[in-house]
Amino acid sequence: MSPLQELVQQKISHLNPQFDVSLADMSYFKIGGAAEVFIECDTREKIIEVVQFCHLEKIEFRILAGASNVVISSAGLPGITLSLSNADYQIKQNEGDKTVVQVGSGYKTALLVRKTIDDGFAGLEYYLGVPGKIGGAVFNNAHYDAHLIGENVAQVEVVTREGEVKWLTQAECDFRYDHSRFHSSKEVILLIQFALKKGDRVTSMQMVKEATIRRAQTQPLGEPSSGCYFKNVPNTPELMQKFPQFNGRTEFPSAFLIDTAGLKGKEVGGIKVSEKHAAFFVNTGNGTSDEVKQLANMVKAKIKESFGVELKEEVFWLE
Ligand SMILES: Cc1cc2nc3c(=O)[nH]c(=O)nc-3n(C[C@H](O)[C@H](O)[C@H](O)COP(=O)(O)OP(=O)(O)OC[C@H]3O[C@@H](n4cnc5c(N)ncnc54)[C@H](O)[C@@H]3O)c2cc1C
């Protein structure tokens, strides 16, 4: 046992910590070594207790939700990995023409969307096909076309790295395209309150169908991946001049640039630029996090050289 594992065993064994847990099979990318300490948190209170323990004992920790937007180091993760499955759901008060629905951050996004539609609410339909948990979706402000999930958020409850629990308003969350305050604040999202309009089931299911068909047509859904590896990039006068078909869009599709540069199908070891969606990397078998890094560097260099554009990661590295 490592010194950390001994400490955890001694002090918080009631939280059922597990040691040297392999993470690869949990991740959509099928990449990742072992977590030194792994704690499944199925309640908000358990998350708070682990975070406060980490603060007190000065232990580093990482958050894993659905593991669909991460590259986990093949060398494994030191410290404590919290896996979130806190999935309570409550219909709260009405606010104007909307109803506040409160949900634990570990609720699976697809199941939550289904539940809100079944309960007669509208607003989350386009996110049914986003893998992972709702806290992960809020963390990165999940998108479908120009729609952003943060538009539906009223408040978010977090625990800070110092163990303080507080509520944040939508404005405080600083939601933008592929961005929220949580990227830099490192607060852990506990609960999310969505403000949802009364819905019509038939219309909602039509929206779900539309988004599901579109995803199946454009994304390599059957292959292990971490979703879009790269974010779309800000559209610039230079890009607009070269590719006027995207004029009027504020975000320029990185997949188009990668495809135009002839990088579809490019491989490093077991990691490949998807043939179906050039911003996706897929794992063809035994890909490693090092190979992801090498392929990403190669794609970035080529796009910079060809178009003067700097690609940025949409995925999050856990290492
Ligand atoms: C096939 C495929 C299709 C996808 N399609 C879309 C799409 O259409 N739109 C879209 O926006 N994304 C898409 N994604 C990306 C991904 O599914 C989303 O970003 C998703 O919301 C991530 O949620 P997760 O639970 O898997 O987060 P994880 O991958 O587990 O975590 C992602 C990051 O969020 C942090 N995090 C997670 N939960 C919390 C929390 N409660 N508090 C603090 N930090 C937290 C983690 O530490 C990590 O840094 C797709 C991915 C795949 C594999």
Side-chain angles (χ1 to χ4, degrees):
M1 265 198 196
S2 70
L4 172 66
Q5 291 170 339
E6 275 175 19
L7 179 77
V8 163
Q9 188 61 33
Q10 210 178 55
K11 300 224 165 156
I12 53 168
S13 57
H14 62 284
L15 298 177
N16 300 322
Q18 298 171 64
F19 303 139
D20 305 319
V21 173
S22 169
L23 299 173
D25 280 346
M26 292 179 206
S27 93
Y28 273 71
F29 218 175
K30 300 290 169 231
I31 294 176
E36 185 177 7
V37 176
F38 180 90
I39 303 183
E40 188 65 50
C41 294
D42 56 358
T43 64
R44 160 190 179 278
E45 290 68 29
K46 193 164 172 181
I47 301 172
I48 296 169
E49 190 175 344
V50 179
V51 170
Q52 290 178 342
F53 172 75
C54 288
H55 177 59
L56 199 72
E57 300 287 347
K58 299 191 173 47
I59 298 166
E60 55 176 327
F61 71 87
R62 291 166 185 76
I63 300 293
L64 200 57
S68 65
N69 207 27
V70 286
V71 183
I72 302 171
S73 168
S74 297
L77 299 182
I80 296 184
T81 300
L82 285 78
S83 165
L84 307 192
S85 54
N86 53 315
D88 45 311
Y89 174 95
Q90 282 181 48
I91 298 173
K92 309 281 273 193
Q93 73 281 7
N94 287 333
E95 275 178 14
D97 62 342
K98 296 190 172 170
T99 303
V100 174
V101 172
Q102 177 176 295
V103 64
S105 53
Y107 208 115
K108 285 193 176 141
T109 302
L111 297 182
L112 174 67
V113 175
R114 258 330 264 259
K115 176 93 180 119
T116 56
I117 294 173
D118 288 345
D119 285 348
F121 301 116
L124 299 180
E125 296 87 341
Y126 288 135
Y127 309 102
L128 186 127
V130 177
K133 316 262 173 88
I134 197 66
V138 169
F139 178 87
N140 201 36
N141 196 13
H143 56 86
Y144 174 80
D145 261 352
H147 305 277
L148 305 173
I149 202 161
E151 291 159 5
N152 302 284
V153 169
Q155 290 196 87
V156 174
E157 188 194 42
V158 296
V159 55
T160 67
R161 293 261 150 179
E162 292 72 40
E164 185 201 348
V165 177
K166 61 182 182 185
W167 281 96
L168 302 167
T169 62
Q170 185 199 47
E172 286 173 317
C173 293
D174 192 20
F175 289 121
R176 286 176 263 147
Y177 165 73
D178 272 350
H179 175 86
S180 74
R181 75 180 260 145
F182 309 112
H183 293 187
S184 53
S185 73
K186 307 289 181 204
E187 294 150 332
V188 182
I189 300 168
L190 300 169
L191 292 171
I192 301 128
Q193 290 191 345
F194 289 103
L196 302 176
K197 282 197 169 148
K198 202 171 155 22
D200 160 62
R201 204 168 187 289
V202 175
T203 312
S204 288
M205 288 315 289
Q206 190 53 40
M207 289 164 79
V208 166
K209 195 170 160 197
E210 179 196 313
T212 307
I213 292 173
R214 172 92 179 282
R215 282 202 170 86
Q217 282 168 345
T218 56
Q219 297 182 344
L221 295 182
E223 297 167 88
S225 81
S226 60
C228 277
Y229 187 85
F230 294 112
K231 290 182 191 184
N232 290 333
V233 296
N235 210 348
T236 59
E238 294 76 37
L239 285 172
M240 284 187 220
Q241 199 183 13
K242 245 188 218 154
F243 305 112
Q245 64 271 42
F246 296 107
N247 286 2
R249 287 176 63 163
T250 48
E251 306 297 336
F252 191 97
S254 57
F256 177 85
L257 296 177
I258 299 167
D259 190 6
T260 307
L263 294 170
K264 259 190 180 172
K266 205 87 193 156
E267 281 175 272
V268 173
I271 306 298
K272 182 165 97 168
V273 176
S274 164
E275 308 270 2
K276 196 163 181 183
H277 189 311
F280 275 62
F281 284 1
V282 294
N283 185 353
T284 59
N286 298 313
T288 64
S289 58
D290 272 352
E291 290 164 356
V292 175
K293 223 167 242 174
Q294 286 173 43
L295 185 62
N297 288 340
M298 193 225 273
V299 171
K300 280 181 180 177
K302 179 79 180 158
I303 297 302
K304 177 85 180 154
E305 177 199 310
S306 309
F307 309 108
V309 169
E310 284 197 26
L311 291 179
K312 299 242 161 65
E313 270 79 4
E314 179 173 324
V315 297
F316 296 89
W317 276 79
L318 294 183
E319 49 191 344

